[in-house]
C-alpha cells in the first residue's frame, strides 16, 4: 500500500530503528524491492534518482507511474521518493507524479548557497505536501567521503536544519556511494553527536558499502533512513551474468530478468530483516 515517506520514517524513528530505501532504475527493480519487503513483512521506500530519470530519456512520468502502481498494489507500506535532485524543474514535477518526498541535493554548493537553495526548495515542497530531505557534507565517491574535512559538522548541521526547515538530513559519516565491497567504517561518535544536535531524522547514503555490524551500530546510534542502491545492481548483474554465461541460445529477456529480479528481492529481504532486528533490539 502506498504510504508517504514521512510517515514510514517517523514510525521507524519512533520505534528506535531504521527503514530501508532502495534505488529504482528499472521496473524490475521496483517489483523486486516490493517483493523483498513483502517477504519480510516490513515497510520500504522506493526511490528514483535524477540519474535514473536521465537514463529514462529525462522523462519522470513513465517510471514514476510504474513505481507508484507497484507501491499501491503492495501488501506492506511502500513510500515513493525522488532522490538526489539537483534540478529545480525536476523537483517541481515530484508531487504531480505521485511522490511523497524528495531529496533536494545542493551539497555541491557552498554552505550559504546550499542553505538558500534548499530553503527555497523546502518552501515549494511543503506547499505541495512533500517531505523534503537534503544533504550536508560530502557523501560522494569512495575517495571524497573519506577525505579530511568533508564529514558533517554537528553544530553546522543544527544551524542548517533550522535555516532550511528540512524534514530529514543526509549526513557524511564515512559511507560512500557506489562501493562494491562492504568495507566502510563509520564514525559512530560523529553519528551520536549529530543525533544529539539535529532534531530531524538522519539519513545514511551509500549503505551498500557498510558491513552488517557497522550498519546495526549506525541505526542504534541514530541513523533512520538507510539508502541502498549498488547492492541491488550487483545482485541484478550477477544473476544476469550467471544466466547468460554458457547459454548463447538464451534470448528471451524474461528468463534472465526474472533471475535478476529474484536476486534483488533476496537482497532487499535480507537488508530489511537486518534493520528490523536492529529495531527490535532498540525497543
Amino acid at each position: 500500500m502506498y504510504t508517504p515517506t514521512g510517515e514510514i520514517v517517523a514510525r521507524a524513528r519512533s520505534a528506535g530503528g531504521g527503514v530501508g530505501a532502495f534505488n529504482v532504475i528499472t521496473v524490475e527493480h521496483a517489483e523486486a524491492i516490493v517483493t523483498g519487503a513483502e517477504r519480510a513483512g516490513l515497510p520500504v521506500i522506493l526511490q528514483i534518482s535524477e540519474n535514473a530519470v536521465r537514463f529514462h530519456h529525462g522523462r519522470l512520468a513513465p517510471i514514476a507511474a510504474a513505481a507508484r502502481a507497484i507501491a499501491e498494489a503492495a501488501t506492506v507500506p511502500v513510500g515513493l521518493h525522488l532522490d538526489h535532485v539537483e534540478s529545480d524543474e525536476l523537483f517541481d514535477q515530484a508531487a504531480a507524479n505521485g511522490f511523497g518526498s524528495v531529496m533536494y541535493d545542493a551539497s555541491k554548493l557552498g554552505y550559504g548557497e546550499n542553505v538558500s537553495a534548499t530553503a527555497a526548495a523546502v518552501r515549494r515542497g511543503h506547499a505541495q505536501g512533500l517531505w523534503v530531505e537534503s544533504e550536508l557534507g560530502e557523501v560522494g565517491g569512495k575517495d571524497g567521503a573519506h577525505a579530511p574535512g568533508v564529514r558533517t559538522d554537528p553544530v553546522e548541521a543544527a544551524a542548517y536544519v533550522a535555516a532550511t526547515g528540512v524534514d530529514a538530513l543526509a549526513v557524511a559519516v564515512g559511507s560512500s556511494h557506489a562501493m562494491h565491497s562492504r568495507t566502510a567504517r563509520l564514525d559512530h561518535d560523529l553519528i551520536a553527536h549529530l543525533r544529539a544536535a539535529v532534531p530531524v531524522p538522519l539519513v545514511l547514503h551509500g549503505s551498500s558499502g557498510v558491513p552488517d555490524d557497522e550498519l546495526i551500530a549506525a541505526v542504534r546510534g541514530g541513523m533512520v533512513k538507510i539508502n541502498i542502491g549498488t547492492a541491488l545492481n550487483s545482485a541484478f548483474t550477477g544473476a544476469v551474468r550467471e544466466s547468460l554465461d554458457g547459454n548463447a541460445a538464451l534470448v528471451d529477456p524474461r528468463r534472465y530478468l526474472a533471475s535478476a529480479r529474484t536476486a534483488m528481492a533476496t537482497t532487499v529481504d535480507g537488508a530489511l530483516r537486518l534493520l528490523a532486528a536492529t529495531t527490535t533490539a532498540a525497543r
Side-chain angles (χ1 to χ4, degrees):
M1 67 201 80
Y2 169 76
T3 305
T5 301
E7 291 185 20
I8 293 174
V9 171
R11 291 173 192 168
R13 190 187 192 197
S14 178
V19 60
F22 297 86
N23 289 10
V24 171
I25 299 175
T26 69
V27 172
E28 288 77 20
H29 280 76
E31 291 174 331
I33 293 163
V34 169
T35 296
E38 289 177 332
R39 287 181 190 167
L42 294 165
V44 75
I45 298 166
L46 302 177
Q47 47 188 37
I48 299 171
S49 72
E50 184 168 314
N51 280 339
V53 175
R54 194 174 296 118
F55 169 73
H56 290 287
H57 307 290
R59 298 170 185 150
L60 175 61
I63 187 65
R68 176 73 187 228
I70 291 166
E72 289 176 346
T75 59
V76 294
V78 180
L80 190 59
H81 179 74
L82 191 58
D83 199 37
H84 278 289
V85 174
E86 298 180 13
S87 162
D88 288 337
E89 180 182 359
L90 181 60
F91 182 95
D92 291 335
Q93 295 176 43
N97 281 281
F99 290 86
S101 61
V102 182
M103 187 271 188
Y104 185 76
D105 189 356
S107 62
K108 293 178 183 177
L109 303 177
Y111 178 79
E113 292 176 294
N114 184 340
V115 168
S116 178
T118 302
V122 169
R123 288 192 295 271
R124 295 199 315 277
H126 284 177
Q128 299 175 72
L130 292 170
W131 183 90
V132 183
E133 172 190 335
S134 68
E135 181 177 318
L136 186 65
E138 185 179 323
V139 190
K142 185 174 181 180
D143 294 332
H146 296 288
V150 302
R151 295 187 180 178
T152 308
D153 176 77
V155 174
E156 190 172 67
Y160 178 88
V161 170
T164 60
V166 294
D167 301 298
L169 185 66
V171 291
V173 293
S175 59
S176 311
H177 292 119
M179 285 186 70
H180 298 282
S181 59
R182 302 186 71 192
T183 56
R185 288 290 177 261
L186 305 180
D187 188 334
H188 296 287
D189 287 341
L190 177 56
I191 292 172
H193 286 120
L194 286 164
R195 181 185 189 180
V198 176
V200 299
L202 299 177
V203 182
L204 184 66
H205 286 219
S207 303
S208 292
V210 181
D212 285 353
D213 60 338
E214 288 282 304
L215 197 55
I216 289 169
V219 173
R220 289 178 178 168
M223 306 304 299
V224 182
K225 180 172 173 279
I226 309 300
N227 287 15
I228 299 172
T230 301
L232 294 193
N233 294 336
S234 295
F236 183 111
T237 304
V240 170
R241 282 200 179 107
E242 185 175 348
S243 295
L244 295 178
D245 281 350
N247 190 355
L250 178 55
V251 296
D252 185 342
R254 290 172 295 186
R255 291 179 59 186
Y256 55 81
L257 288 178
S259 66
R261 189 171 55 192
T262 297
M264 289 191 290
T266 299
T267 299
V268 171
D269 183 5
L272 291 178
R273 289 181 190 274
L274 178 72
L275 295 176
T278 303
T279 302
T280 300
R283 285 175 179 167

